[in-house]
Amino acid sequence: MPQTSRPRRLLALATDNWPARTYLTVVGVSVAAMFVAPESPVAAGPLILTAPLSLLSVILPFGPGTEGPLQALAFGSWTVWLLLCALVNAAVLGSLAKRSTTTTTTTTTAPPTRTSARAHAHVRLRTLLAPAVDNWPARAYLAVVATSLAFFLCADYILADPTFAALWPLMVTAPTGFLAFLLPTSSPLAFAATTALCGLANAVLLGHLAHRLRAQEAHPAT
């Protein structure tokens, strides 16, 4: 049986189910809107929709605002990076869609008794969070989240100069990390807790993608 390459498996997850295709369509519409109205707030749509990976482009020395003879090359490189980020996010949605289909087609066991309900809930929680820690991509991502939060808390409590330190946790936990803006309090601990939970949710999604790619590698299509 021929073994499919990992990029092809990633592309398949990003295109062979309706949630992933819908997401890619929305990203495509946002890119078109960016060209139609480059000075409006909708111009930030592609960057937000492809977060968190796309936000890493802010550390690059080039991008859409680059001037001079390298402007076309810089914009082209940024566009390719944006496309790759969109494909990764679409693949995450695709892996979740496939997992959901598999779960609904399997037989379920009898519901737990009242005495074992708490233990059953504990097992379900561990199963739910397992993809965030049982593979190296998710663990590496959590390490980045922890580093950004440590930097933010250090800047806020020790250096007493948070300035733009909060941007790093928001960037690495986007797009769910933007929920921190909805908090009714400005407490740094509340902000850190919210972004940490958002980072954990992103790690779970990333873990599901890693599992799906690994499963397809172990059982390649004929």
Side-chain angles (χ1 to χ4, degrees):
M1 293 185 298
Q3 185 168 343
T4 307
S5 64
R6 185 164 298 182
R8 291 184 61 184
R9 294 194 299 272
L10 186 70
L11 183 61
L13 285 173
T15 56
D16 67 355
N17 57 90
W18 70 264
R21 288 195 294 265
T22 300
Y23 166 77
L24 289 178
T25 300
V26 173
V27 172
V29 171
S30 70
V31 171
M34 179 185 67
F35 282 104
V36 172
E39 302 298 331
S40 69
V42 299
L47 197 65
I48 295 175
L49 288 173
T50 55
L53 289 177
S54 60
L55 295 179
L56 294 178
S57 62
V58 300
I59 66 176
L60 299 176
F62 55 84
T66 302
E67 301 291 341
L70 297 179
Q71 182 176 6
L73 178 61
F75 185 79
S77 301
W78 181 82
T79 303
V80 171
W81 173 250
L82 203 70
L83 175 61
L84 291 176
C85 294
L87 287 177
V88 171
N89 287 355
V92 170
L93 291 177
S95 65
L96 288 178
K98 287 182 176 296
R99 181 179 182 275
S100 177
T101 302
T102 303
T103 302
T104 55
T105 55
T106 56
T107 57
T108 57
T109 58
T113 62
R114 183 176 300 178
T115 56
S116 63
R118 182 174 299 179
H120 182 70
H122 181 67
V123 171
R124 291 192 62 182
L125 180 62
R126 290 184 59 184
T127 303
L128 178 66
L129 298 180
V133 294
D134 64 2
N135 58 93
W136 71 262
R139 288 195 294 264
Y141 170 74
L142 285 179
V144 174
V145 173
T147 301
S148 68
L149 287 173
F151 173 72
F152 163 71
L153 293 175
C154 178
D156 191 88
Y157 284 103
I158 299 178
L159 302 178
D161 183 24
T163 317
F164 298 106
L167 287 178
W168 295 105
L170 285 176
M171 286 172 58
V172 299
T173 60
T176 54
F178 291 128
L179 293 175
F181 284 124
L182 303 179
L183 292 175
T185 176
S186 59
S187 168
L189 289 179
F191 172 84
T194 302
T195 50
L197 290 175
C198 293
L200 182 61
N202 287 351
V204 170
L205 298 178
L206 182 60
H208 280 302
L209 174 59
H211 288 174
R212 179 58 58 180
L213 290 175
R214 188 181 305 164
Q216 291 187 353
E217 185 175 359
H219 304 285
T222 57

